[in-house]
Amino acid sequence: MNFHYHLLINRAAGSGNGQKVADKMLPIFDQYRATYSVYYSEYPGHDAELAEQLAKATLVPWTTENQETLTTFPLLVIVGGDGTLHQVLNTFYQLDLEFPVAYVPAGSGNDFARGIGLSRNTEQAVTNLLNTTEPREINLLTYQEQVTDTKGVLVNNLGIGLDAAIVHATNHSATKERLNKYNLGSLSYILSILRVFFTQKGFPILVDVGGKTINFEKAFLCTTTNHPYFGGGVAIAPTAEAFKPTIDFVVVERINLFKIIWIVILLLQKKQLKSKNFHHFTTSKLRIVSTTPQFGQADGEDIAPQSFDLQFGTKNQSFWCQTKK
């Protein structure tokens, strides 16, 4: 079967890294004499608009019938950061449509690519893509929030508390835009960590893990994920695996500074499970209730302070990729 590649490119991803990745990858497509069309995301939310247009007019599911009848398959290639991938896949999820996608990472953190073992080297990622002939199933998380009656799909994680407050502080930092111009966006994130770390208070949550109810009186960080990484390479849940239909959930309690520093040291060594204040669960069914309003984040996108009643599930997504996993 032949393929026509529809390249959805977010040039602004990774503080302009999306454009650099595009400049590297397009000559490779030409070298392989691949047929392709290019769609550039021009403003916030444009990723979703382009994805919806392609979904309704161009893309088709990967079915046995289509494989047998189509001479050329239209394949969507997403070029951007985790936020770009999040926007596109949530567009399909809200439309209740299923399409295989390929992904060339061009963000600053690229946790999803790291989590599934996808090459973060542009040339290698594109070469692997062009030599792949069928998709592979990856496990994503779904969530439904009862308080605001919203739902979505996650490529990385959903957090309540510390990590969400850090994301909010970073996204709304007056210095972020200036630092991004000099490729110092990560410094803005570090400054936000230092500012938020000492102001984030513990908050109560009720968790239902596979039918077992657990109360945490002073949760500090609360993250649900489908692979090990968050925050640009921190292995918050080292045993999580994106190829299994499971949900990984991490809670860190609000404790004194010295114990927090000890957890950070263990975290860097991937030995955080040795701390009694670090709790990790793997399950197929999860509910989280937080009655005290907190910041939230879904794949790095802000959720304004609110109470939460979250239910999580899993779904398969076909990815056109060769991975190390």
Side-chain angles (χ1 to χ4, degrees):
M1 177 182 288
N2 296 318
F3 298 95
H4 185 99
Y5 300 94
H6 295 269
L7 312 181
L8 195 164
I9 300 174
N10 184 345
R11 291 181 287 191
S15 301
N17 191 49
Q19 180 64 65
K20 296 176 182 177
V21 170
D23 291 342
K24 292 179 181 179
M25 66 181 290
L26 293 179
I28 302 175
F29 277 85
D30 292 332
Q31 180 184 343
Y32 273 73
R33 296 182 180 178
T35 59
Y36 62 90
S37 301
V38 179
Y39 312 84
Y40 289 111
S41 173
E42 302 292 349
Y43 48 83
H46 199 197
D47 302 319
E49 293 176 15
L50 291 171
E52 182 171 354
Q53 292 168 14
L54 288 166
K56 293 180 176 179
T58 305
L59 304 179
V60 298
W62 182 254
T63 62
T64 301
E65 181 181 355
N66 284 336
Q67 294 174 55
E68 293 175 349
T69 58
L70 292 177
T71 56
T72 301
F73 187 85
L75 178 63
L76 177 63
V77 181
I78 302 165
V79 184
D82 291 338
T84 308
L85 188 61
H86 173 92
Q87 288 287 340
V88 173
L89 293 183
N90 269 277
T91 299
F92 295 162
Y93 186 68
Q94 302 299 335
L95 293 171
D96 196 24
L97 296 172
E98 298 275 352
F99 305 110
V101 299
Y103 177 51
V104 178
S108 53
N110 295 322
D111 281 324
F112 179 78
R114 186 179 285 106
I116 68 170
L118 183 68
S119 177
R120 300 189 302 281
N121 174 277
T122 299
E123 290 84 354
Q124 188 62 57
V126 174
T127 300
N128 289 346
L129 160 64
L130 292 169
N131 285 298
T132 300
T133 57
E134 61 183 6
R136 183 174 186 184
E137 296 299 311
I138 304 292
N139 177 59
L140 301 182
L141 300 185
T142 61
Y143 70 91
Q144 184 164 3
E145 206 292 299
Q146 304 292 338
V147 176
T148 56
D149 191 26
T150 58
K151 65 178 183 178
V153 63
L154 303 166
V155 300
N156 288 326
N157 52 67
L158 189 152
I160 303 171
L162 179 65
D163 66 320
I166 291 169
V167 167
H168 175 82
T170 303
N171 289 345
H172 296 272
S173 169
T175 61
K176 180 182 178 182
E177 186 174 348
R178 292 195 297 271
L179 289 170
N180 279 343
K181 291 180 180 179
Y182 301 99
N183 294 322
L184 294 173
S186 59
L187 179 58
S188 176
Y189 189 79
I190 292 170
L191 293 174
S192 297
I193 292 174
L194 295 175
R195 183 166 65 254
V196 171
F197 184 86
F198 295 100
T199 58
Q200 176 66 39
K201 297 180 179 179
F203 56 97
I205 61 169
L206 182 147
V207 182
D208 187 321
V209 182
K212 180 181 179 181
T213 301
I214 306 171
N215 283 288
F216 292 95
E217 295 297 327
K218 292 185 177 181
F220 184 52
L221 179 149
C222 175
T223 298
T224 305
T225 184
N226 69 317
H227 63 71
Y229 301 103
F230 86 152
V234 178
I236 188 69
T239 59
E241 193 170 341
F243 300 96
K244 294 182 179 179
T246 54
I247 304 165
D248 283 80
F249 174 61
V250 167
V251 177
V252 178
E253 298 176 88
R254 179 80 226 196
I255 48 182
N256 67 53
L257 179 60
F258 296 104
K259 289 183 178 179
I260 287 287
I261 292 173
W262 176 240
I263 287 181
V264 171
I265 293 172
L266 292 175
L267 188 64
L268 294 174
Q269 300 174 348
K270 299 183 180 181
K271 297 179 180 179
Q272 60 266 38
L273 296 180
K274 291 185 176 182
S275 170
K276 66 179 182 180
N277 300 112
F278 185 99
H279 307 276
H280 175 223
F281 306 90
T282 300
T283 182
S284 59
K285 184 179 180 181
L286 177 67
R287 181 186 180 195
I288 302 170
V289 178
S290 172
T291 55
T292 304
Q294 295 292 323
F295 282 110
Q297 65 85 18
D299 286 341
E301 295 196 354
D302 279 335
I303 302 174
Q306 63 172 69
S307 299
F308 289 92
D309 186 349
L310 288 157
Q311 293 186 348
F312 292 91
T314 63
K315 75 177 293 291
N316 283 336
Q317 171 64 48
S318 297
F319 272 87
W320 209 267
C321 60
Q322 295 178 5
T323 73
K324 298 174 184 177
K325 298 286 183 175

